[in-house]
């Protein structure tokens, strides 16, 4: 009778061990799937981050170009304004000279 009980006990233990092995295998499969999903999401997030950084750098570059263009145009404006003032002064002096000598 004890031998029979031991056989049943061994049989039920084997069934429990087999069940646990199947569960472990299922958990390992699920873990692998989750790791793959995580890797895909991480890669997608890194791609978005890289694109965002690239756009930020491009906009900073465009901003720097616009600033340089504005500074250049301001310098050109000031130079031309100065040239115009000199031309007016010269014209005024010539007119005065003409009035003084020929009028």
């Amino acid at each position: 009778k004890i031998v029979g009980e031991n056989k049943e006990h061994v049989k039920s233990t084997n069934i429990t061990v087999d069940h646990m092995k199947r569960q472990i295998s299922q958990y390992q499969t699920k873990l692998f799937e989750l790791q793959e999903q995580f890797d895909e999401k991480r890669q997608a997030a890194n791609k978005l981050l890289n694109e965002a950084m690239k756009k930020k750098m491009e906009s900073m570059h465009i901003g720097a170009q616009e600033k340089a263009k504005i500074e250049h145009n301001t310098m050109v404006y000031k130079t031309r304004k100065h040239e115009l003032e000199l031309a007016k002064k010269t014209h005024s002096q010539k007119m005065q000279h003409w009035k003084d000598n020929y009028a």
Side-chain angles (χ1 to χ4, degrees), residues 32 37 39 42 50-51 92 94 96:
F32 181 73
Q37 288 174 13
D39 286 343
R42 184 176 45 78
N50 288 341
E51 288 173 7
S92 170
K94 285 181 180 175
Q96 191 61 45

Side-chain angles (χ1 to χ4, degrees), residues 74-87:
T74 302
M75 185 184 74
V76 168
Y77 168 77
K78 287 179 179 175
T79 302
R80 296 223 172 113
K81 183 178 175 189
H82 180 68
E83 289 170 352
L84 180 62
E85 288 168 357
L86 282 175

Side-chain angles (χ1 to χ4, degrees), residues 1 6 23 25 41 56 60 67 70 77 88-89 98 101:
K1 187 176 179 178
N6 281 345
Q23 276 189 321
S25 178
K41 287 183 181 356
K56 180 181 178 186
M60 287 171 63
K67 184 179 178 191
I70 289 168
Y77 168 77
K88 283 182 184 177
K89 189 175 176 183
W98 188 84
N101 293 304

Side-chain angles (χ1 to χ4, degrees), residues 30 32-43:
K30 185 66 177 169
F32 181 73
E33 289 171 3
L34 291 172
Q35 284 174 327
E36 280 185 330
Q37 288 174 13
F38 174 78
D39 286 343
E40 288 170 6
K41 287 183 181 356
R42 184 176 45 78
Q43 286 173 355

Side-chain angles (χ1 to χ4, degrees), residues 9-67:
H9 179 71
V10 168
K11 188 177 175 185
S12 72
T13 303
N14 284 344
I15 290 171
T16 304
V17 168
D18 288 343
H19 176 70
M20 288 180 174
K21 284 180 181 176
R22 277 195 304 278
Q23 276 189 321
I24 288 171
S25 178
Q26 288 170 352
Y27 291 144
Q28 286 173 332
T29 301
K30 185 66 177 169
L31 178 62
F32 181 73
E33 289 171 3
L34 291 172
Q35 284 174 327
E36 280 185 330
Q37 288 174 13
F38 174 78
D39 286 343
E40 288 170 6
K41 287 183 181 356
R42 184 176 45 78
Q43 286 173 355
N46 283 340
K47 185 177 178 184
L48 288 173
L49 181 64
N50 288 341
E51 288 173 7
M53 290 299 289
K54 185 177 175 185
K55 285 182 179 174
K56 180 181 178 186
M57 294 304 287
E58 286 171 358
S59 70
M60 287 171 63
H61 180 66
I62 290 168
Q65 284 179 329
E66 289 300 314
K67 184 179 178 191

